[in-house]
Amino acid sequence: MSEEKIETLVYEPNQRENKSISFIWLLPLVVLGILAWIGYESYTKKGTNVSVIFKNAEDLKEGVTPLEYKGLVLGKVTKIEINDLNSVKVNILVNSDVAKYVATEGTSFWIKKPTISLTKVSGLGTLLSGNKIELYPKYKTLEEYENAKPQYNFTGLDTKPSLLEDSDGYYVNILSRGEDLIEVETPVFYNRFQIGEISSKEFKDGKVYLKAYIHEKYKYLINKSSQFVMNKALKVNFGPGGLNLEVSSLYSAIVGGITVETPIKDAQKIKQDKYYILSDDKKEFIERTHINLKLTDAKGIGINTLIMYKGVEVGKVDDLQLTQNNIIAKAYVYKKYDYLLSENSTFHIEETEVSLDGVKNLNSIVSGNYLTIDYKKGKPKDSFEIVNSSMEKVDNDLIITLKTQDLNSITKNSKLYFKNIPIGKVLDYSLSSDLKHVNISLLVKEKYKKLINNKSLFYDMSSKLLELKDLDLDINYTGIKPLIDGGIALVEVDRKAKYSKKSFKLYSSYKDVQTLKREYSHGSYLNTYFDNGFNLKVNQAISYKNQEIGFVKSIKFSEEKSKVKLFIYKKYVKYISKKSRFYKKDAIKVDASLGGVLFEVDNLSSLLYGSLELDNSSKTSFPRYEIYSSYDDMKNFSNTISILFDDVEGLRQQFSKLNYKGVDIGKVSNIILTPQNKVLVKVQVFKNYDKFSKEGTIFYLKKPKVSLNEVKNIGSTILPVDIGVIVSNKNNFKNSFTGYDSLEEIKQVDNGEIIRVASLFPTKLNVDAPIYYKNVQIGKINKINLSGDGSKTLIDCFISDKYKHLIRKNSTFHDISGFKLKFSIFTGTEIETNTFTSILKGGLLVVTPIKYGGMATVNDTFLLKKELNEDWEKINPSIK
């Protein structure tokens, strides 16, 4: 076996030079770079922490509540913690880019809360996010901030700082004497128009100092003569003089605020360091003359007791001082009335009286006395003695005797009244010698004794309030005071009669003397007639313009028409003419409308049976005098218009009105269904009958209508439908008409014109859709109908009078209903529309060419165009 030689082969490796670094080693470097950048950004934008101490943290939230300045968010609350038992510490992270403006000495912080009132709404965003923190920086320029010292701990303010002043405004100082109804942002009004608001409030030295911001454009309204007064709905003052209530407007009750009045428009401006005085009442600014009044007994007189002259307030009592022998009242009279303070003038104490006849001294709801001045010319004087108004006997007074069966509630304090004015009083009373009646000694003051003569009648005002006898109700009422204290009334019959007797009979009620008064009266008899369809009564009163002018003397019954004899008092006979008529006036009248309920009650003597009223409004004469059952019945006899309708749904007899330009000029008196199934409506015209009874006058039903454009006659949805009227210019008389169901059915209207437009294609138009000219509404669509053959749509367009000259014979009408959507990949999406109303209801656009033709008339018909040329906005004719 041959021996083989085995040789080991070793290969030499290929060596290549690595010329670049692998990409994988760059990735860690990129990551490190990003982390470094993020860390840098986080560090630089971390912000600056400041802390503010507030009294409470109401509605502040960690991580939510922002720090703001003029609506810009500068930071956010990061932490809220208790500082001590009376305050909280709020940590705020301020954005780094504004930190130098915030964390600087002098910066003010306060909590902003929402404000909602009738005059201002602000901070509504806080309703969802909670309250905000507002700041006001001390400095205004960058140079000031470069030199400012940093500060990181602050004490928050309770309210918006007084330093927060707007350079575009005018500021005035106001001093309030302890008034606690004024807060920051309380509005300041001039003639009920807001011209500013209270910007700050500060309490020191027991007084309230206010600063008011006045808008720049209104600062001319404020000068030295300006007066600032609180708006109050109700002012209450109670004292010995009674309870004084002063009621302001409902507006002041809701809004409140301060009102400024400037009587001298060209007065100088007030200096910035001077203060206006905030008053509770503008009367405090009126100049006064001070006086002293001496009383032996205050008798209910106290601070704020009124001083009156002829029912007008001329002053008040300021203070009362008790001396050893008398009471001195410090009082004042307004400067313009100081002529009343003469040496011959006297002051009297008068009692406030409340009765069903009325309220004397309405300012005092609770009984209280007041002062009156009896003025006589003389030299000026500033000190007076007050004279009690109760009457004392003097030598020239008249003493008479009254005889009565029963004294009732008459006492020595009872007074004698004439037309509810005291003219005397009861001095004494005693039984007659035969013990059958009572003798009353009565004093009549000297200046009134000429009212007493042989025909004078007296009755007891206090004997009975109500008496029912034989189903006849007698109401004896002349006021509360005579019923309580007793009272006697004098009834004047004939002032020219002689006076000789000293004794008179005292009747128990006014009804007893009423018949005698009529018997004593002079006058004439008048024969009248009525149809027996209503009740008349002997002695029933006849009135004219709220004055009794006579009474029913007798009634002679007849089956057809009864004859009534009237007695007319002599001084009123001159008002009776051939044009006179009479109607029975209801005792109670009720008239309801959206404006409220009118409730009228006639005088008490006719409460049960009403009275007869004389009417002289007719322009025509009558063959004899007639009495009608009511005012409406009388008017229906002459001033009635007949209107024929197809349907009168909603119309109500005696309630529906005839309305012309918003004024009720008549009412529906009767509704009748005719044999032709039409409805005949009788309308009574109150006045100006000739104006509405003309040929061509148009009547239509004013039915309720609610649309996007308008709300009309909405009251008719609750109350009866009314009838509208369009007056004709013609002169021919006419009182029978055919009415329209609505205003839309009328071709001619009093404030515009109807233009006919025809469309050959379906439209999206609706009634009341707007009609535009250069995007200004000039009318609306009144009615839409199909033509007789159904080939086109006929559109009646109402054009207002002031725009109808824009519609020419060559004008074009275009349908702009809905909206158009254009979509393109390259140019995007474009939506064209006119108004939201035109989307829902449709609309028309009118274009009149530069070379326009004559004015369109109601006889012209225009063809509706579907497309609108793109250059229509450039067509701009000057139309005259």
Side-chain angles (χ1 to χ4, degrees):
M1 177 177 217
S2 63
E3 185 178 330
E4 293 183 358
K5 185 177 180 178
I6 300 174
E7 186 176 340
T8 302
L9 297 177
V10 178
Y11 296 95
E12 183 178 354
N14 291 329
Q15 295 182 358
R16 291 185 297 175
E17 183 178 355
N18 192 1
K19 297 182 179 180
S20 61
I21 301 175
S22 174
F23 173 76
I24 195 64
W25 296 103
L26 294 177
L27 184 60
L29 296 176
V30 172
V31 173
L32 288 174
I34 293 173
L35 292 175
W37 174 255
I38 292 173
Y40 175 77
E41 284 289 299
S42 176
Y43 176 78
T44 58
K45 294 185 178 181
K46 179 181 179 182
T48 301
N49 283 298
V50 298
S51 63
V52 185
I53 295 175
F54 291 107
K55 289 184 178 180
N56 64 72
E58 182 182 0
D59 283 340
L60 300 183
K61 302 175 183 178
E62 294 181 355
V64 175
T65 300
L67 172 68
E68 291 187 356
Y69 176 65
K70 292 187 175 182
L72 182 65
V73 178
L74 306 182
K76 187 178 294 185
V77 172
T78 59
K79 189 175 182 181
I80 302 174
E81 58 185 353
I82 295 177
N83 182 58
D84 54 37
L85 295 179
N86 297 317
S87 61
V88 296
K89 183 177 182 181
V90 179
N91 188 77
I92 304 172
L93 180 63
V94 182
N95 298 342
S96 59
D97 55 341
V98 295
K100 66 178 180 180
Y101 305 116
V102 178
T104 306
E105 61 174 354
T107 302
S108 302
F109 296 83
W110 75 95
I111 298 175
K112 182 179 181 181
K113 299 178 181 180
T115 299
I116 303 177
S117 70
L118 291 179
T119 60
K120 184 172 183 180
V121 177
S122 65
L124 289 183
T126 62
L127 293 176
L128 298 177
S129 63
N131 293 337
K132 300 177 181 179
I133 298 177
E134 287 268 345
L135 68 85
Y136 180 72
K138 178 180 180 181
Y139 302 111
K140 299 295 183 183
T141 63
L142 292 174
E143 294 179 356
E144 291 177 317
Y145 277 105
E146 293 296 334
N147 300 321
K149 296 180 181 179
Q151 182 178 341
Y152 302 99
N153 298 307
F154 301 88
T155 299
L157 302 176
D158 295 334
T159 61
K160 189 176 182 179
S162 60
L163 295 176
L164 189 53
E165 298 184 357
D166 194 332
S167 59
D168 293 332
Y170 177 67
Y171 289 81
V172 295
N173 299 313
I174 302 174
L175 176 61
S176 177
R177 292 169 291 189
E179 184 58 65
D180 60 354
L181 298 177
I182 301 298
E183 299 295 341
V184 174
E185 297 186 350
T186 294
V188 178
F189 297 96
Y190 186 91
N191 285 342
R192 294 190 176 179
F193 186 83
Q194 186 172 356
I195 64 171
E197 63 181 27
I198 299 300
S199 61
S200 66
K201 176 181 180 180
E202 185 179 3
F203 181 80
K204 63 180 180 180
D205 301 329
K207 298 178 181 179
V208 178
Y209 292 87
L210 307 170
K211 180 164 287 190
Y213 166 77
I214 308 298
H215 298 298
E216 177 72 17
K217 61 181 178 180
Y218 299 123
K219 71 178 184 181
Y220 72 92
L221 296 173
I222 311 298
N223 56 42
K224 274 188 175 181
S225 70
S226 297
Q227 302 166 356
F228 289 79
V229 184
M230 279 286 299
N231 289 341
K232 287 188 176 181
L234 181 66
K235 184 177 179 181
V236 182
N237 201 335
F238 182 79
L243 178 65
N244 185 284
L245 300 178
E246 296 182 12
V247 182
S248 184
S249 65
L250 179 62
Y251 177 84
S252 300
I254 300 175
V255 176
I258 298 172
T259 292
V260 58
E261 296 182 358
T262 305
I264 304 175
K265 304 301 180 184
D266 55 354
Q268 295 180 349
K269 293 289 184 183
I270 194 172
K271 294 182 180 180
Q272 288 296 323
D273 59 343
K274 298 296 182 180
Y275 284 86
Y276 291 100
I277 302 298
L278 180 61
S279 173
D280 289 343
D281 189 344
K282 63 182 179 182
K283 288 183 180 179
E284 294 182 13
F285 297 107
I286 302 176
E287 291 187 74
R288 308 170 181 181
T289 299
H290 294 275
I291 57 175
N292 290 329
L293 303 174
K294 185 168 70 173
L295 307 90
T296 56
D297 189 345
K299 292 185 180 294
I301 301 300
I303 296 175
N304 290 322
T305 294
L306 298 176
I307 301 175
M308 309 288 289
Y309 178 68
K310 293 185 176 181
V312 177
E313 178 188 339
V314 298
K316 281 185 180 180
V317 174
D318 259 342
D319 192 16
L320 289 177
Q321 296 179 2
L322 181 63
T323 64
Q324 186 174 0
N325 299 317
N326 297 295
I327 299 172
I328 302 299
K330 300 289 184 179
Y332 65 83
V333 172
Y334 298 125
K335 193 74 176 179
K336 60 181 178 180
Y337 300 123
D338 61 2
Y339 68 88
L340 299 172
L341 305 175
S342 78
E343 60 182 354
N344 296 320
S345 295
T346 55
F347 284 74
H348 303 271
I349 298 177
E350 298 288 350
E351 295 180 355
T352 302
E353 295 183 9
V354 181
S355 69
L356 295 179
D357 292 332
V359 180
K360 296 181 181 179
N361 184 20
L362 187 57
N363 288 334
S364 298
I365 302 301
V366 175
S367 177
N369 295 348
Y370 62 97
L371 301 176
T372 59
I373 300 178
D374 184 7
Y375 165 67
K376 293 181 181 179
K377 288 184 178 180
K379 295 180 181 179
K381 186 180 178 182
D382 60 3
S383 181
F384 301 85
E385 288 190 17
I386 295 180
V387 179
N388 195 307
S389 62
S390 61
M391 294 175 287
E392 301 296 335
K393 183 181 182 305
V394 296
D395 293 338
N396 294 325
D397 290 343
L398 176 66
I399 305 295
I400 59 176
T401 300
L402 302 181
K403 297 181 181 295
T404 180
Q405 296 295 322
D406 192 340
L407 189 62
N408 293 314
S409 58
I410 293 176
T411 67
K412 292 182 180 181
N413 292 323
S414 298
K415 293 182 181 180
L416 172 65
Y417 294 91
F418 177 70
K419 295 183 177 181
N420 279 349
I421 297 176
I423 63 169
K425 71 173 185 177
V426 173
L427 291 179
D428 201 1
Y429 48 82
S430 62
L431 285 171
S432 62
S433 57
D434 58 4
L435 305 179
K436 291 183 178 180
H437 58 266
V438 179
N439 292 329
I440 300 174
S441 179
L442 188 66
L443 177 147
V444 181
K445 296 297 291 182
E446 178 187 5
K447 62 179 179 179
Y448 299 118
K449 65 182 183 180
K450 61 183 178 181
L451 295 173
I452 309 300
N453 56 50
N454 291 348
K455 289 188 177 181
S456 295
L457 299 173
F458 300 85
Y459 71 91
D460 186 352
M461 302 171 69
S462 58
S463 58
K464 305 178 188 69
L465 178 61
L466 296 175
E467 181 180 11
L468 183 62
K469 184 178 181 181
D470 297 330
L471 297 180
D472 190 4
L473 179 64
D474 177 20
I475 299 178
N476 178 34
Y477 169 73
T478 50
I480 292 296
K481 188 173 179 59
L483 290 174
I484 298 174
D485 296 338
I488 299 171
L490 166 66
V491 178
E492 184 182 38
V493 178
D494 186 357
R495 188 170 293 185
K496 295 181 180 180
K498 295 181 180 180
Y499 171 67
S500 59
K501 64 180 184 180
K502 295 288 185 179
S503 178
F504 298 84
K505 180 180 179 180
L506 178 63
Y507 294 92
S508 62
S509 67
Y510 175 72
K511 186 177 179 181
D512 293 336
V513 303
Q514 187 180 35
T515 302
L516 290 174
K517 177 186 175 182
R518 289 170 174 171
E519 295 294 336
Y520 288 158
S521 301
H522 299 287
S524 300
Y525 291 101
L526 189 70
N527 291 324
T528 61
Y529 299 86
F530 80 111
D531 62 4
N532 300 323
F534 54 99
N535 182 41
L536 286 182
K537 188 178 180 183
V538 174
N539 288 325
Q540 195 165 353
I542 304 169
S543 59
Y544 180 62
K545 297 186 182 297
N546 293 324
Q547 295 293 323
E548 182 177 321
I549 65 170
F551 61 94
V552 176
K553 180 66 175 178
S554 64
I555 302 174
K556 185 176 182 181
F557 177 77
S558 175
E559 288 189 4
E560 294 183 359
K561 280 203 169 185
S562 295
K563 184 177 179 180
V564 181
K565 181 177 286 188
L566 307 181
F567 182 81
I568 307 298
Y569 303 138
K570 183 177 179 179
K571 64 179 179 179
Y572 298 113
V573 171
K574 61 184 177 180
Y575 297 111
I576 306 298
S577 69
K578 290 295 183 181
K579 297 179 181 180
S580 296
R581 295 175 293 179
F582 299 87
Y583 66 90
K584 187 176 180 182
K585 185 178 180 181
D586 293 331
I588 300 176
K589 178 182 178 182
V590 180
D591 190 7
S593 68
L594 280 180
V597 177
L598 177 64
F599 186 83
E600 295 182 359
V601 180
D602 198 9
N603 57 73
L604 291 176
S605 64
S606 60
L607 182 60
L608 285 183
Y609 302 104
S611 63
L612 295 185
E613 185 79 9
L614 168 64
D615 179 82
N616 286 328
S617 63
S618 176
K619 295 182 180 180
T620 60
S621 299
F622 302 98
R624 64 181 184 179
Y625 299 105
E626 296 281 349
I627 302 177
Y628 297 91
S629 62
S630 66
Y631 177 81
D632 291 340
D633 187 27
M634 181 186 69
K635 285 294 184 181
N636 283 341
F637 185 76
S638 57
N639 294 0
T640 298
I641 289 174
S642 299
I643 310 172
L644 195 64
F645 289 98
D646 289 330
D647 190 340
V648 291
E649 182 181 359
L651 213 63
R652 295 293 182 268
Q653 185 172 310
Q654 300 298 332
F655 286 94
S656 294
K657 308 294 185 184
L658 180 63
N659 190 277
Y660 177 63
K661 293 187 176 181
V663 178
D664 292 336
I665 60 168
K667 72 174 182 178
V668 174
S669 59
N670 201 2
I671 301 176
I672 305 168
L673 184 64
T674 68
Q676 295 77 23
N677 285 329
K678 298 283 187 178
V679 182
L680 183 63
V681 178
K682 297 283 188 178
V683 177
Q684 171 200 323
V685 180
F686 298 147
K687 58 183 179 179
N688 298 325
Y689 175 73
D690 296 338
K691 178 178 180 179
F692 303 100
S693 55
K694 291 181 180 180
E695 183 180 349
T697 302
I698 297 173
F699 298 89
Y700 61 93
L701 297 179
K702 299 183 69 173
K703 295 183 178 179
K705 183 177 184 180
V706 180
S707 69
L708 288 173
N709 287 342
E710 61 183 344
V711 176
K712 293 175 60 178
N713 307 325
I714 190 64
S716 300
T717 61
I718 304 171
L719 298 177
V721 170
D722 291 336
I723 299 176
V725 57
I726 300 173
V727 176
S728 171
N729 294 324
K730 298 180 181 180
N731 295 321
N732 296 335
F733 173 80
K734 186 178 181 181
N735 60 4
S736 296
F737 303 88
T738 299
Y740 292 87
D741 184 63
S742 65
L743 185 62
E744 286 74 15
E745 289 191 349
I746 303 172
K747 296 294 181 183
Q748 296 178 349
V749 289
D750 58 347
N751 59 347
E753 191 170 74
I754 303 296
I755 299 295
R756 174 66 60 85
V757 177
S759 174
L760 300 177
F761 51 86
T763 71
K764 298 179 181 179
L765 298 171
N766 288 287
V767 174
D768 291 331
I771 302 172
Y772 298 97
Y773 184 89
K774 292 187 180 299
N775 285 341
V776 175
Q777 185 172 350
I778 63 172
K780 65 178 182 177
I781 293 177
N782 205 44
K783 190 193 303 185
I784 300 176
N785 284 320
L786 281 174
S787 61
D789 58 4
S791 62
K792 51 185 174 290
T793 304
L794 301 179
I795 305 166
D796 287 347
C797 301
F798 168 78
I799 307 297
S800 298
D801 272 337
K802 63 178 178 178
Y803 297 122
K804 66 183 181 182
H805 70 283
L806 301 175
I807 312 300
R808 299 293 170 150
K809 290 184 180 293
N810 57 343
S811 296
T812 57
F813 286 75
H814 303 268
D815 189 351
I816 58 170
S817 304
F819 63 88
K820 298 177 181 178
L821 179 66
K822 296 179 180 179
F823 178 76
S824 173
I825 298 176
F826 303 102
T827 60
T829 301
E830 179 181 353
I831 297 177
E832 296 181 359
T833 185
N834 189 54
T835 64
F836 180 72
T837 304
S838 67
I839 295 175
L840 296 180
K841 303 194 62 166
L844 294 179
L845 178 69
V846 181
V847 177
T848 298
I850 295 176
K851 294 183 179 181
Y852 55 85
M855 285 183 59
T857 67
V858 293
N859 297 322
D860 294 325
T861 299
F862 294 84
L863 191 62
L864 183 64
K865 295 183 179 296
K866 196 169 186 180
E867 297 295 333
L868 183 63
N869 295 334
E870 293 184 357
D871 61 346
W872 72 273
E873 294 179 334
K874 299 178 182 178
I875 302 174
N876 189 27
S878 179
I879 303 175
K880 298 181 180 179

